[in-house]
């Protein structure tokens, strides 16, 4: 705290790296406020500091010490005022901001509600509809928009921020400006019936968009409590509900994913050995199909020049049109401005040979999953590209050592596995072999961040981390329909659990060719634990190819949602007859929970093998990859976190029971058995044997 000659005390919060409101900070804030109230040379206060993370709860500080103080407090806002930062600013008697500051209450993304009075003050300062939108969507606004809405009193240049804030505080103290306590305001709340109507509509929307997230409904309940019974009552209710939510599984899961995502940027022997990423300004993409064009789109949107290569002009034109459609689609959905779209498209060049490859920093091969073709391409690009160029493949299942076995540049070969659609899905799986250089991995991680992906570094094996972990997902669902469980019920149950769609609708979407190719790859790699079902072959024989031709398990018609196709049931009956695994020929009966477990516990089992083999750096990386790559619900914390919540011993006992009844597909892994027996969580670090240490 510094007191100027003008009688204004400036209290600055400094708690690097993000000025999080830790208990120590809150305690010291109270002490500084108490000192300022005692001192006769202090007429008014300015509170500043760039605060961004979720705080501990303290009505005592925000209401009693700050808002009801007998000297005025002005917030000087710069950079970020998110969560606790904005809540502290709203408790001040005025808010002055530098340009382009970000203001928001994103606590719902962490499974809690604002806990510093935000649910009460935001509606009072800018009106209920906009306040509800900002909280439920966790969407920040700029200080300029905040000024228009009445949240910010003035936006001033950065260099004048403290000077204007000091003068404003003195003007309030000397009654030249109004002394406003936001918690006492009601002028922007409207009538009780209007408020209830707005909240009713918000509840319905939250029920549709976030059905398994209790914090959305709790937030609306707390807002309503404050409108009906007054702001102070609302703040007390907010504190009570916050304490409940912060201990919930939802909050624990979301907070885990939040920190796990940040941990992915730390990779042993890559990010901790003093290397700096080299600039990647030009990338060649080979293959202009859906995946290649999606990768090219992601790169040009990240301001990286792209050379897109195809084998003939017809395919090349098609690939360029795909990229253009991707970019224009973002403009239509208002996610990209026209100017930025035109600039991005100017970064793309189509070619039919390797002449443009002489100065590229990286090549990403994105052709079909065909080993001889990939080997041929790698032999050609090794000759055509400069010696520093990274040679990357977008293969989703094939071993990288096989892809690059005919090249001499083993240290430059890495996997850059994007997920479809590549310009939308946020995960980039970076695959390293034992020969991949740390520099190549670091460079690819930097490219991932530039194009707004979350890079997760994984080891080299069939399917790598994500596809390998999730290959039993579809197979488990196929096994269930062969045991007599209704196909559409399975999809409903899995959607209710929190995945965006069930396994059969997902198969329709991906196409049956992919299902057969991937199934064959995994059956070859892991024959001891694959379940082969004839369903997909029978669907193809019947002329179905999922969404591609409008007929699969569902019927796809333009402009309407997919509808279950009853004519698929005889095909499934035929598959059941061929597999003949129903006990005594009768369909088994099971609860919804058993359906979830029989599909997802084999996934957990494979995750255990991935952990055991050190295919990933840490268990939380697999959680991030499952959320971003397979759309596993983030509020469940990712696949390993969820498994630990359910309990390894329950998973182990269930798999053991099913393996005895239905075969080796369900056989528990050694790692799972060991953890369940010892009562250890799956996420606990693996024992570091010499072999494992060298792998890591």
């Amino acid at each position: 705290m510094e007191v100027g000659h003008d009688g204004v005390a400036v209290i600055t919060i400094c708690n690097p790296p993000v000025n999080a409101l830790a208990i120590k900070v809150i305690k010291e804030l109270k002490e500084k406020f108490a000192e300022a109230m005692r001192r006769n040379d202090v007429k008014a206060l300015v509170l500043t500091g760039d605060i961004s993370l979720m705080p501990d709860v303290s009505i005592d500080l925000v209401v009693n010490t700050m808002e009801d103080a007998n000297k005025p407090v002005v917030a000087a806002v710069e950079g970020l005022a998110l969560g606790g930062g904005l809540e502290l600013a709203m408790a001040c008697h005025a808010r002055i901001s530098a340009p382009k500051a970000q203001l928001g209450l994103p606590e719902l993304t962490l499974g809690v509600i604002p806990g510093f009075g935000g649910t009460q003050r935001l509606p009072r300062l800018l009106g209920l509809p906009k306040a509800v939108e900002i909280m439920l969507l966790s969407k920040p606004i700029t200080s300029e928009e905040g000024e228009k809405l009445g949240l910010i009193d003035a936006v001033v240049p950065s260099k004048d921020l403290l000077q204007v804030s000091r003068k404003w505080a003195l003007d309030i103290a000397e009654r030249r400006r109004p002394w406003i306590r936001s918690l006492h305001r009601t002028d922007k709340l409207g009538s009780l019936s209007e408020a209830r109507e707005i909240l009713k509509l918000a509840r319905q929307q939250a029920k549709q968009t976030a059905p398994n997230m209790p914090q959305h409904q709790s937030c609306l309940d707390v807002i309503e409590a404050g409108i009906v019974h007054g702001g102070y009552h609302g703040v007390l209710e907010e504190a009570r509900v916050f304490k409940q939510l912060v201990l919930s599984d939802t909050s624990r899961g979301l907070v885990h994913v939040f920190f796990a995502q940040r941990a992915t940027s730390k990779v042993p022997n890559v990010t901790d050995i003093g290397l700096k990423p080299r600039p990647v300004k030009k990338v060649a993409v080979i293959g202009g199909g859906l995946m290649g064009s999606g990768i090219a789109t992601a790169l040009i949107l990240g301001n990286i020049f792209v050379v897109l290569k195809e084998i003939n002009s017809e395919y090349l034109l098609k690939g360029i049109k795909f990229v253009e459609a991707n970019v224009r689609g973002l403009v239509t959905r208002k996610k990209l401005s026209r100017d930025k779209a035109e600039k991005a498209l100017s970064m793309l060049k189509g070619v039919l040979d390797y002449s443009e490859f002489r100065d590229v920093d990286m090549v990403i091969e994105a052709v079909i999953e065909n080993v001889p073709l990939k080997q041929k391409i790698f032999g050609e690009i090794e000759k055509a590209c400069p010696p520093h160029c990274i040679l990357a493949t977008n293969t989703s299942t094939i071993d990288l050592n096989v892809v690059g076995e005919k090249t001499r540049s083993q240290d430059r070969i890495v996997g850059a596995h994007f997920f479809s659609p590549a310009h939308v899905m946020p995960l980039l799986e970076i695959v390293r072999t034992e020969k991949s250089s740390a520099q190549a991995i670091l460079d690819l991680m930097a490219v991932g961040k530039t194009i707004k992906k979350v890079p997760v570094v994984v080891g080299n094996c069939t399917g790598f981390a994500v596809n390998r972990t999730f290959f039993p997902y579809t197979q488990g669902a196929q096994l269930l329909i062969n045991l007599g469980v209704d196909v559409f019920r399975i999809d409903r149950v899995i959607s209710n659990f929190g995945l965006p769609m069930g396994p059969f609708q997902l198969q329709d979407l991906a196409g049956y060719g992919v299902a057969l190719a991937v199934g064959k790859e995994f059956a070859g790699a892991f024959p001891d634990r694959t379940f082969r079902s004839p369903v997909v072959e029978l669907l193809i024989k019947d002329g179905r190819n999922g969404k591609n031709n409008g007929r699969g398990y569902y019927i796809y018609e333009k402009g309407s949602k997919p509808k279950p196709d009853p004519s698929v049931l005889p095909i499934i009956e035929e598959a059941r007859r061929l597999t003949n695994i129903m006990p005594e020929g009768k369909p088994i009966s099971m609860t919804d929970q058993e359906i979830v477990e029989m599909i997802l516990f084999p996934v957990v089992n494979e995750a255990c093998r991935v952990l055991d083999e050190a295919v990933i750096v840490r268990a939380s990386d697999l959680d991030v990859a499952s959320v971003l790559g397979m759309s596993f619900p983030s509020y469940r914390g990712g696949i390993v976190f969820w498994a630990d919540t359910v309990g390894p011993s329950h998973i182990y006992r269930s798999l053991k029971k099913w393996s005895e009844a239905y075969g080796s597909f369900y056989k528990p892994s050694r790692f799972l058995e060991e953890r369940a027996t010892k009562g250890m969580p799956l996420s606990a670090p693996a024992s570091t044997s010499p072999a494992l240490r060298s792998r890591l």
Side-chain angles (χ1 to χ4, degrees):
M1 181 172 80
E2 289 179 20
V3 181
H5 298 302
D6 54 4
V8 177
V10 176
I11 299 175
T12 307
I13 298 173
C14 182
N15 182 24
V18 289
N19 279 344
L21 291 178
I23 290 167
K24 183 169 172 276
V25 175
I26 290 167
K27 182 171 166 282
E28 287 181 18
L29 264 177
K30 286 186 69 179
E31 287 166 8
K32 296 295 180 199
F33 269 97
E35 185 189 332
M37 296 306 140
R38 283 196 308 270
R39 285 173 60 163
N40 293 329
D41 60 334
V42 174
K43 297 178 188 173
L45 291 83
V46 168
L47 176 68
T48 191
D50 157 23
I51 309 156
S52 62
L53 274 191
M54 184 179 74
D56 196 61
V57 185
S58 174
I59 294 163
D60 193 22
L61 167 70
V62 181
V63 179
N64 303 346
T65 309
M66 288 172 58
E67 193 167 44
D68 291 348
N70 57 15
K71 293 172 186 178
V73 189
V74 170
V77 179
E78 187 163 24
L80 302 175
L82 300 172
L86 181 59
E87 291 183 278
L88 277 194
M90 290 192 293
C92 295
H93 304 110
R95 286 151 295 284
I96 314 301
S97 177
K100 302 276 185 292
Q102 295 280 305
L103 318 167
L105 296 177
E107 283 87 347
L108 272 71
T109 60
L110 297 180
V112 291
I113 61 172
F116 252 33
T119 61
Q120 305 306 308
R121 290 187 180 86
L122 196 64
R124 284 167 167 76
L125 283 166
L126 47 72
L128 191 56
K130 190 67 185 176
V132 165
E133 181 191 314
I134 287 171
M135 283 185 267
L136 290 196
L137 299 180
S138 296
K139 195 177 169 187
I141 59 170
T142 62
S143 46
E144 288 76 6
E145 192 181 347
E147 186 182 21
K148 280 183 203 156
L149 293 164
L151 179 58
I152 297 293
D153 293 282
V155 176
V156 300
S158 276
K159 61 181 174 55
D160 303 329
L161 181 62
L162 279 181
Q163 184 194 340
V164 172
S165 299
R166 300 178 90 114
K167 186 171 182 319
W168 205 287
L170 285 172
D171 284 349
I172 296 173
E174 289 157 18
R175 297 292 191 264
R176 288 192 295 271
R177 287 191 186 275
W179 189 320
I180 297 166
R181 291 177 171 86
S182 55
L183 199 60
H184 299 266
R185 283 181 65 174
T186 55
D187 54 301
K188 288 195 175 180
L189 292 179
S191 71
L192 188 56
S193 61
E194 284 170 345
R196 281 195 159 135
E197 196 53 43
I198 291 163
L199 292 170
K200 183 183 166 189
L201 192 64
R203 279 195 182 92
Q204 288 167 351
Q205 287 173 332
K207 212 170 181 179
Q208 286 176 330
T209 55
N212 294 319
M213 299 219 208
Q215 69 272 27
H216 291 68
Q217 300 297 339
S218 296
C219 184
L220 295 167
D221 291 345
V222 168
I223 293 169
E224 185 166 8
I227 291 169
V228 174
H229 301 292
Y232 193 75
H233 174 90
V235 169
L236 291 170
E237 181 63 7
E238 178 192 85
R240 186 187 69 77
V241 172
F242 179 94
K243 282 175 186 163
Q244 282 178 349
L245 288 170
V246 85
L247 299 172
S248 68
D249 284 346
T250 302
S251 176
R252 285 175 56 244
L254 288 166
V255 170
H256 170 72
V257 171
F258 177 85
F259 287 111
Q261 193 166 315
R262 277 140 191 80
T264 59
S265 60
K266 294 181 176 68
V267 181
N269 301 324
V270 173
T271 59
D272 56 358
I273 54 174
L275 291 174
K276 287 201 166 69
R278 298 171 298 188
V280 173
K281 292 176 182 170
K282 185 176 178 183
V283 174
V285 177
I286 299 176
L290 281 173
M291 187 52 91
S293 60
I295 295 168
T297 307
L299 291 163
I300 61 173
L301 289 170
N303 209 27
I304 294 171
F305 192 83
V306 172
V307 177
L308 182 66
K309 182 188 178 300
E310 259 298 357
I311 51 168
N312 61 43
S313 49
E314 183 196 338
Y315 284 178
L316 182 60
L317 190 62
K318 208 173 170 185
I320 289 169
K321 281 189 169 158
F322 275 147
V323 176
E324 287 172 350
N326 290 341
V327 173
R328 307 245 186 265
L330 292 170
V331 174
T332 307
R333 296 198 299 279
K334 296 195 165 62
K335 293 193 172 176
L336 191 69
S337 70
R338 285 191 186 282
D339 291 351
K340 284 184 179 166
E342 293 311 316
K343 184 174 185 280
L345 289 170
S346 73
M347 310 279 293
L348 178 71
K349 183 177 183 181
V351 298
L352 295 171
D353 59 34
Y354 290 118
S355 56
E356 286 278 346
F357 283 44
R358 62 185 176 275
D359 61 345
V360 296
D361 302 306
M362 180 162 75
V363 178
I364 301 176
E365 166 273 305
V367 302
I368 56 169
E369 297 285 75
N370 177 302
V371 171
L373 176 61
K374 286 181 188 288
Q375 288 178 335
K376 177 175 176 284
I377 288 169
F378 268 75
E380 291 167 353
I381 59 178
E382 185 182 30
K383 294 183 193 126
C385 299
H388 74 277
C389 177
I390 298 165
L391 311 176
T393 173
N394 178 60
T395 180
S396 56
T397 49
I398 300 169
D399 187 317
L400 263 65
N401 291 323
V402 175
V403 172
E405 74 180 10
K406 294 183 179 172
T407 66
R408 292 184 306 280
S409 312
Q410 303 286 329
D411 60 323
R412 293 193 277 152
I413 293 176
V414 293
H417 180 213
F418 290 79
F419 291 75
S420 188
H423 63 295
V424 176
M425 291 291 277
L427 182 66
L428 171 60
E429 208 176 18
I430 297 176
V431 188
R432 57 174 168 178
T433 68
E434 283 167 12
K435 292 174 184 168
S436 304
S437 74
Q439 186 67 60
I441 299 299
L442 191 69
D443 294 348
L444 190 47
M445 286 175 74
V447 169
K449 284 173 187 166
T450 300
I451 62 175
K452 296 186 170 61
K453 303 290 179 200
V454 177
V456 174
V457 177
V458 303
N460 178 37
C461 62
T462 300
F464 317 128
V466 178
N467 283 351
R468 174 169 167 192
T469 298
F470 272 83
F471 90 84
Y473 172 71
T474 308
Q475 295 193 3
Q478 292 279 5
L479 197 146
L480 283 192
I481 61 171
N482 282 281
L483 284 170
V485 184
D486 175 57
V487 59
F488 304 118
R489 181 186 171 202
I490 292 170
D491 271 4
R492 263 195 321 276
V493 167
I494 294 296
S495 294
N496 291 340
F497 175 80
L499 277 98
M501 63 183 74
F504 299 106
Q505 196 183 334
L506 181 66
Q507 208 170 68
D508 272 359
L509 198 64
Y512 299 154
V514 172
L516 288 178
V518 171
K520 191 177 168 193
E521 201 69 41
F522 285 117
F526 313 118
D528 57 319
R529 55 183 187 274
T530 48
F531 174 73
R532 300 300 299 269
S533 168
V535 170
V536 175
E537 282 102 329
L538 292 172
L539 290 168
I540 292 168
K541 196 175 160 190
D542 192 55
R544 296 168 191 259
N545 195 19
K547 198 179 176 189
N548 286 337
N549 70 351
R551 290 176 69 234
Y553 299 99
Y554 295 81
I555 298 165
Y556 297 85
E557 287 166 350
K558 213 171 180 182
S560 62
K561 286 183 178 175
K563 289 192 281 286
D565 184 356
S567 70
V568 83
L569 299 177
I571 297 169
I572 292 168
E573 279 303 329
E574 171 66 3
R576 285 171 183 158
R577 192 183 62 75
L578 291 168
T579 53
N580 192 28
I581 59 168
M582 285 194 288
E584 296 172 15
K586 289 178 187 155
I588 61 170
S589 77
M590 54 172 54
T591 64
D592 287 356
Q593 186 181 333
E594 284 170 324
I595 289 175
V596 167
E597 293 181 349
M598 285 187 85
I599 289 174
L600 289 178
F601 284 3
V603 175
V604 172
N605 202 21
E606 197 60 37
C608 288
R609 295 185 181 99
V610 165
L611 293 171
D612 196 24
E613 294 168 29
V615 174
I616 42 127
V617 174
R618 55 188 82 78
S620 63
D621 284 4
L622 195 51
D623 285 329
V624 172
S626 69
V627 168
L628 301 181
M630 297 306 298
S631 302
F632 192 83
S634 57
Y635 54 85
R636 296 192 189 275
I639 190 71
V640 183
F641 185 91
W642 173 73
D644 277 337
T645 308
V646 172
S649 58
H650 171 60
I651 296 169
Y652 170 68
R653 284 195 309 271
S654 302
L655 287 168
K656 200 164 186 310
K657 178 181 76 181
W658 299 329
S659 68
E660 285 158 10
Y662 309 119
S664 62
F665 175 75
Y666 285 112
K667 189 184 174 190
S669 64
R670 185 190 60 79
F671 182 92
L672 175 62
E673 182 174 6
E674 186 183 282
R675 294 291 163 110
T677 310
K678 291 181 179 172
M680 288 171 70
L682 302 179
S683 55
S687 59
T688 47
S689 64
L692 192 59
R693 271 202 299 275
S694 77
R695 172 116 199 202
L696 285 168

